[in-house]
Amino acid sequence: MTDSNTDIAVVSLAQPLESIAEDLGRSFQQYGFAVIRDHGIPQDLIDKAESLSKEFFALPEDVKKAYHIPGGGGARGYTPFGTEKAKDAKVHDLKEFWHVGRELDEGHPLAQYMADNVWPEEVDGFKQTFSDLYSAFETAGGRVLEAIAIHLGLPREFFAATIEDGNSVMRLLRYPPLEGAEAEGAIRAAAHGDINTITLLLGAEEAGLELLTADGEWKAVAPPEGALVVNIGDMLDRLTNHKLKSTQHRVVNPHGEAAYRARYSMPFFLHFRPDYVIETLPSCIDPKNPTDHPEPISSHDYLMQRLREINLA
């Protein structure tokens, strides 16, 4: 159940999906966000991943930058500070990150869309741990999409084929500690919407994640320990003709002691297959305005269009 009928939904994935689909759908329609407990990602795997992420980011700059792939659009490996910026933002975000993506066998019809991963040799267990976490995120994301399908009146398995071998990306993220009086309340990641289908975020317990409500107010997202924050991305917003909302959100530095610590998180950007055509669902077209919906576009073309806007393509 949710904590409040008008607040961001907090639901358990251990419940039958039919019992949470309405709460989840309402929250995604109102806020574009929900909080998921009992998501099935083992806590010991999360702990190990957090430890290895910190170990990697503590490496010397020249070692990390050896894993930066020029011209790769940040799709795999390391992206240094000051590379990505939010759409229309004047300055780059204060963060560094590492991407793990799907690998497909040579000859797979979608292999051309997915580069091989690179793995840091300096961190023991990195490849195994983050390969396991990628799979666990994918399983949890598939279950959330089942609940969304139920909410939309679609067959429960509707999204399974749309995301099979999709170009999903897991990001290990570090925001550096800030210094000086201006650190408290500083913007670490400017307001933005996510490009993908849905995003699942670990590590949002550290205060700072905020979403922009329909009333134009910034609302803090404060999940319980170990929970996932899930938000709708632009692709699912487009598919549902804006019924499920891709909401602008940002990361601000908290106040007090936490303002001067580094912040770590791990978002999983779940994507449709590159060849999936995002065409508005018939049930999401207003019969009174049958032409008022986005044009069909392949998820790959849409992704490339959007990556150019944020300085990653």
Side-chain angles (χ1 to χ4, degrees):
M1 296 299 293
T2 58
D3 292 344
S4 157
N5 200 37
T6 58
D7 206 356
I8 297 168
V10 181
V11 301
S12 167
L13 270 192
Q15 299 296 315
L17 295 183
E18 291 78 6
S19 71
I20 64 169
E22 186 179 340
D23 259 355
L24 208 54
R26 178 214 38 95
S27 193
F28 285 142
Q29 285 185 230
Q30 187 172 355
Y31 294 110
F33 275 75
V35 174
I36 306 293
R37 294 184 290 104
D38 310 317
H39 44 68
I41 304 178
Q43 189 59 47
D44 59 347
L45 178 59
I46 294 170
D47 294 343
K48 175 78 168 169
E50 288 177 347
S51 172
L52 293 185
S53 175
K54 290 177 180 178
E55 189 177 332
F56 170 77
F57 287 121
L59 291 171
E61 288 300 306
D62 60 331
V63 174
K64 290 187 288 189
K65 285 184 175 174
Y67 293 103
H68 176 59
I69 303 169
R76 301 290 186 269
Y78 179 65
T79 297
F81 289 116
T83 302
E84 186 179 53
K85 63 187 181 72
K87 183 183 177 185
D88 301 327
K90 301 289 189 288
V91 296
H92 293 80
D93 287 342
L94 301 171
K95 64 190 180 190
E96 58 181 329
F97 55 89
W98 180 279
H99 274 169
V100 176
R102 187 185 309 283
E103 289 187 343
L104 296 174
D105 294 335
E106 196 177 337
H108 189 288
L110 298 177
Q112 60 174 311
Y113 298 106
M114 295 174 217
D116 290 341
N117 283 306
V118 295
W119 303 103
E121 297 171 4
E122 295 80 4
V123 182
D124 288 342
F126 193 97
K127 179 178 179 178
Q128 186 65 56
T129 298
F130 287 107
S131 296
D132 290 348
L133 185 59
Y134 186 102
S135 297
F137 262 128
E138 196 163 42
T139 299
R143 193 158 164 77
V144 172
L145 284 172
E146 282 188 46
I148 288 173
I150 293 168
H151 170 71
L152 292 171
L154 298 167
R156 181 182 174 127
E157 298 294 328
F158 174 84
F159 286 105
T162 74
I163 61 171
E164 184 182 358
D165 297 329
N167 200 7
S168 300
V169 175
M170 179 171 62
R171 174 179 287 184
L172 319 181
L173 192 50
R174 176 181 177 266
Y175 300 94
L178 302 180
E179 299 171 0
E182 68 278 7
E184 300 197 31
I187 305 293
R188 278 182 154 168
H192 64 284
D194 291 347
I195 300 169
N196 45 293
T197 308
I198 58 172
T199 300
L200 298 90
L201 175 67
L202 277 173
E205 297 95 338
E206 182 84 71
L209 178 63
E210 296 180 342
L211 66 86
L212 189 62
T213 69
D215 297 328
E217 313 247 323
W218 286 105
K219 178 180 178 65
V221 183
E225 188 76 29
L228 279 176
V229 173
V230 180
N231 64 276
I232 302 297
D234 294 345
M235 291 183 182
L236 192 53
D237 181 305
R238 189 180 180 103
L239 184 73
T240 62
N241 200 18
H242 319 305
K243 181 175 182 177
L244 302 184
K245 291 180 173 53
S246 177
T247 303
Q248 291 280 301
H249 51 284
R250 67 183 185 181
V251 178
V252 299
N253 222 11
H255 290 266
E257 183 193 343
Y260 304 97
R261 292 198 299 260
R263 176 192 174 98
Y264 298 86
S265 64
M266 291 183 285
F268 183 81
F269 302 108
L270 194 151
H271 278 262
F272 290 130
R273 296 165 56 93
D275 59 356
Y276 177 66
V277 176
I278 304 169
E279 184 170 3
T280 303
L281 295 168
S283 62
C284 295
I285 295 174
D286 182 355
K288 295 176 185 167
N289 296 290
T291 60
D292 185 19
H293 56 84
E295 290 291 311
I297 186 173
S298 78
S299 72
H300 177 71
D301 288 345
Y302 184 69
L303 174 63
M304 297 316 294
Q305 178 183 306
R306 294 298 309 281
L307 287 179
R308 285 190 286 272
E309 294 171 353
I310 62 169
N311 211 38
L312 286 182

